[in-house]
Amino acid sequence: AQTVTQSQPEMSVQEAETVTLSCTYDTSESDYYLFWYKQPPSRQMILVIRQEAYKQQNATENRFSVNFQKAAKSFSLKISDSQLGDAAMYFCAYRRLYNNDMRFGAGTRLTVKP
Amino acid sequence: DVKVTQSSRYLVKRTGEKVFLECVQDMDHENMFWYRQDPGLGLRLIYFSYDVKMKEKGDIPEGYSVSREKKERFSLILESASTNQTSMYLCASKWQTPGTGELFFGEGSRLTVL
């Protein structure tokens, strides 16, 4: 079974600084998708960024970027110029190609200090 | 905007009661999901449905059942609630088409079983 590990239960960053959230996963598949989701306090979970495993180029979305290391099965999220609104739980997720079952990590709670 | 609406944000029930959690999506998504979210465990899939009246078990289906009589509505049923079912329940939906289809989540239903 595929598993997703987020080794940092909590992280903290100063406003305007950069923070990196870690994620590793275990799979025997060669094609799959990876996601980072954000869950703000008392609000619904939303997609931050996604990566297709067959693409070598790291995905970026404005201040959010990933470092995808396929051989190492690592998928970290970098948040640049952190803002107070970035404070949330962040979940890393994995999904096999053509499969509906998405696997989530335990989450990392990010605090942004003013 | 895609909207996934969960009927109750907060519920308090007693042990042995039957509990219904309802979820409605307005984007004609074929796939709908129920997850359970617990601290340190992330999101775990209870059931998902890929079509009306169709369902598949996820990782933790014991103690739960589901119903999908209409495409837009997916209900989670706890036949006899127990204290270990106290948790946050998240509904999600997505299109069936292959690709990096993201999940769209509701705001969650926090259930407390006394």
Side-chain angles (χ1 to χ4, degrees):
Chain A
Q2 295 82 17
T3 58
V4 179
T5 303
Q6 293 179 249
S7 59
Q8 306 152 317
E10 296 184 352
M11 289 285 284
S12 176
V13 64
Q14 206 71 33
E15 195 175 6
E17 298 291 307
T18 296
V19 65
T20 298
L21 308 184
S22 301
C23 173
T24 59
Y25 56 94
D26 182 32
T27 184
S28 57
E29 305 288 327
S30 58
D31 288 327
Y32 47 86
Y33 304 116
L34 296 164
F35 306 82
W36 278 99
Y37 279 87
K38 171 185 177 182
Q39 186 181 42
S42 300
R43 292 179 59 190
Q44 67 198 112
M45 196 171 313
I46 56 172
L47 179 68
V48 175
I49 199 166
R50 72 185 118 198
Q51 174 84 39
E52 295 95 325
Y54 62 86
K55 289 187 178 179
Q56 292 188 340
Q57 187 173 4
N58 289 326
T60 61
E61 289 286 343
N62 301 313
R63 298 181 296 106
F64 298 87
S65 61
V66 298
N67 183 5
F68 173 48
Q69 302 288 327
K70 191 173 184 179
K73 298 180 184 176
S74 170
F75 183 60
S76 59
L77 174 69
K78 186 171 82 170
I79 306 173
S80 305
D81 186 25
S82 296
Q83 301 175 1
L84 295 178
D86 294 333
M89 280 289 289
Y90 286 82
F91 291 95
C92 178
Y94 162 100
R95 183 165 64 82
R96 287 170 55 190
L97 207 67
Y98 302 117
N99 190 286
N100 284 315
D101 187 3
M102 190 172 289
R103 298 280 167 170
F104 289 84
T108 296
R109 183 175 301 281
L110 178 66
T111 303
V112 181
K113 297 179 180 178
Chain B
D1 280 353
V2 173
K3 196 158 181 68
V4 179
T5 304
Q6 295 185 227
S7 56
S8 304
R9 292 293 303 276
Y10 301 95
L11 304 93
V12 180
K13 298 292 182 180
R14 296 203 175 276
T15 301
E17 280 193 84
K18 190 168 186 176
V19 182
F20 291 89
L21 300 179
E22 304 251 298
C23 175
V24 177
Q25 49 93 5
D26 66 357
M27 280 302 292
D28 205 33
H29 287 168
E30 293 87 358
N31 297 332
M32 296 188 74
F33 306 79
W34 275 106
Y35 286 91
R36 172 175 170 159
Q37 181 182 358
D38 298 290
L41 296 178
L43 280 69
R44 293 177 292 168
L45 182 64
I46 304 172
Y47 269 98
F48 75 92
S49 168
Y50 51 91
D51 201 350
V52 174
K53 297 189 185 294
M54 306 303 288
K55 62 185 179 185
E56 286 199 20
K57 293 180 180 180
D59 293 324
I60 52 165
E62 297 79 17
Y64 304 95
S65 62
V66 290
S67 172
R68 192 165 180 203
E69 297 296 319
K70 294 185 178 181
K71 191 175 185 179
E72 67 272 17
R73 188 180 298 270
F74 191 36
S75 301
L76 180 69
I77 303 155
L78 288 68
E79 293 289 342
S80 178
S82 63
T83 55
N84 63 13
Q85 293 178 309
T86 292
S87 187
M88 170 71 86
Y89 292 88
L90 298 178
C91 176
S93 67
K94 69 180 281 290
W95 281 288
Q96 178 64 31
T97 51
T100 55
E102 66 180 279
L103 291 176
F104 293 89
F105 284 89
E107 292 188 324
S109 298
R110 185 167 294 281
L111 172 66
T112 300
V113 183
L114 302 176

